[in-house]
């Protein structure tokens, strides 16, 4: 820490707590079974809708059909993780355009490029993770 710098101050933009976070609240959902993850997300999103939230799901091309929300947005293809890395911030900005106030994001494999994607997702979600 440099002299005169408040404790906990990020030293670079990428170190911010919720770097590129959407305006709505967001959580990352992790699980090994895509069907179980989608079912948990459906129930949670139904409850959010009942509270008056405008819901969003961040998912992948291969899993789009599993989800129902006011805004279901894909950040890319799991089979081509580089597409997810390239499309993530645009997808997060789309939630703002859609007016989503409650967003659930599917996690991805935490290997290779997926590790960087998960790092960005967790920052955008303020480190809020749900394990199914």
């Amino acid at each position: 820490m440099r002299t005169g710098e408040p404790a906990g101050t990020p030293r670079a933009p990428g170190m911010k707590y919720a770097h590129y976070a959407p305006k709505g609240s967001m959580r990352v959902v992790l699980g090994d079974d895509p069907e179980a993850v989608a079912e948990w997300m459906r129930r949670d999103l139904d409850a959010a809708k009942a509270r008056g939230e405008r819901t969003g799901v961040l998912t992948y091309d291969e899993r789009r059909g599993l989800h129902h929300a006011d805004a279901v947005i894909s950040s890319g293809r799991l089979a081509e993780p580089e597409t997810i890395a390239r499309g993530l911030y645009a997808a997060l900005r789309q939630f703002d355009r859609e007016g989503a106030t409650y967003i659930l994001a599917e996690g991805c494999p935490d290997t290779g490029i997926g590790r960087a994607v998960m790092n960005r997702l967790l920052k955008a979600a303020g480190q809020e993770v749900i394990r199914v």
Side-chain angles (χ1 to χ4, degrees):
M1 182 166 61
R2 292 182 289 221
T3 305
E5 186 177 282
T9 300
R11 290 181 295 220
M15 295 171 68
K16 290 183 181 176
Y17 301 84
H19 191 57
Y20 292 108
K23 292 176 184 170
S25 67
M26 183 172 134
R27 289 161 184 80
V28 176
V29 183
L30 301 174
D32 295 330
D33 179 359
E35 298 282 337
V37 167
E39 177 59 25
W40 186 92
M41 290 171 75
R42 183 192 60 75
R43 287 191 312 271
D44 193 54
L45 291 166
D46 286 348
K49 279 184 171 254
R51 294 189 307 266
E53 302 274 8
R54 181 157 173 77
T55 60
V57 170
L58 180 62
T59 189
Y60 310 102
D61 290 355
E62 297 92 335
R63 297 184 183 168
R64 254 188 114 123
L66 296 175
H67 300 288
H68 303 283
D70 295 314
V72 177
I73 300 171
S74 171
S75 60
R77 294 181 41 77
L78 281 169
E80 300 171 38
E82 66 278 1
T83 64
I84 299 167
R86 282 195 307 265
L88 182 60
Y89 292 139
L92 294 174
R93 297 284 73 87
Q94 184 64 35
F95 285 117
D96 291 344
R97 289 189 290 278
E98 297 279 342
T101 59
Y102 185 79
I103 304 158
L104 296 177
E106 277 192 275
C108 70
D110 193 10
T111 58
I113 292 172
R115 184 170 299 248
V117 169
M118 282 302 297
N119 179 277
R120 293 174 190 167
L121 276 176
L122 292 170
K123 285 181 182 180
Q127 304 297 321
E128 290 197 46
V129 176
I130 296 159
R131 296 188 192 281
V132 176

